[in-house]
Amino acid sequence: MGNSANSAVAPDNRVVTDDFEAQEESFKTLTREEAQKLREASPQASPWSVLAGQSVAGIVVACVAWALTGQQSVGWSALYGALAVVIPAALFARGLTGKVWSMNPGTAVMGFFLWEMVKIALTVAMLFAAPRLVSMLSWPAMLVGLVVTMKVSWLALMFAARRNK
């Protein structure tokens, strides 16, 4: 095992880099005031504002699909695709904002995975139920509504961050 110029061999034959030690030495615990300033400088976007942006995008996609094709069923299909994203995401956000899941980091991680599984299961169930719930379902329109609504979350986060500044 070769040693490079920026590493040292510890007594138990582990390689410890100088970079890691430098990072460890430069770590500084923030005071309450410094932490508050940091939070104010980079505010978090609410999950509800992201859901509102996704809902608006889904409605716009449905209206555009209906207007372009002149078929009401295409518009409903696109709207259903958007709802297959928004409804599970709303349930996910509601589940994660509960007080039970924010008690400690372990329950927060557990809650995240639990609600993510619920969100995925509900999305899959809604997609399987689509042919029975939407008459004359247009799969391409539904998938466009689904994908656009999923992808617009980045825009919603960007606009929410700009609005908070």
Side-chain angles (χ1 to χ4, degrees):
M1 178 163 85
N3 289 339
S4 66
N6 66 347
S7 65
V9 178
D12 60 351
N13 292 331
R14 288 182 298 135
V15 176
V16 181
T17 62
D18 293 334
D19 293 338
F20 180 73
E21 291 173 356
Q23 287 176 354
E24 196 173 279
E25 289 174 4
S26 68
F27 182 78
K28 177 186 168 206
T29 304
L30 298 177
T31 65
R32 181 178 295 240
E33 293 80 22
E34 291 171 331
Q36 185 65 28
K37 286 180 185 177
L38 182 63
R39 280 190 209 105
E40 290 171 0
S42 58
Q44 295 179 352
S46 165
W48 305 110
S49 64
V50 173
L51 280 168
Q54 286 181 318
S55 300
V56 169
I59 292 169
V60 168
V61 166
C63 291
V64 167
W66 187 355
L68 286 177
T69 63
Q71 297 177 359
Q72 188 176 8
S73 63
V74 173
W76 284 115
S77 297
L79 183 63
Y80 188 84
L83 289 176
V85 172
V86 172
I87 292 172
L91 184 63
F92 175 75
R94 176 63 183 105
L96 283 185
T97 56
K99 291 180 181 174
V100 172
W101 302 111
S102 63
M103 292 177 126
N104 67 47
T107 57
V109 171
M110 168 103 167
F112 178 82
F113 284 116
L114 173 74
W115 286 107
E116 184 66 24
M117 287 185 343
V118 168
K119 182 176 91 168
I120 292 169
L122 182 57
T123 301
V124 170
M126 287 181 73
L127 293 177
F128 274 111
R132 294 184 182 165
L133 297 175
V134 179
S135 63
M136 296 181 7
L137 177 70
S138 168
W139 281 96
M142 184 186 74
L143 292 176
V144 167
L146 181 104
V147 169
V148 168
T149 305
M150 275 193 300
K151 295 302 179 184
V152 81
S153 63
W154 291 105
L155 290 174
L157 284 170
M158 183 178 70
F159 286 127
R162 282 187 182 174
R163 186 179 41 214
N164 287 338
K165 284 187 177 180

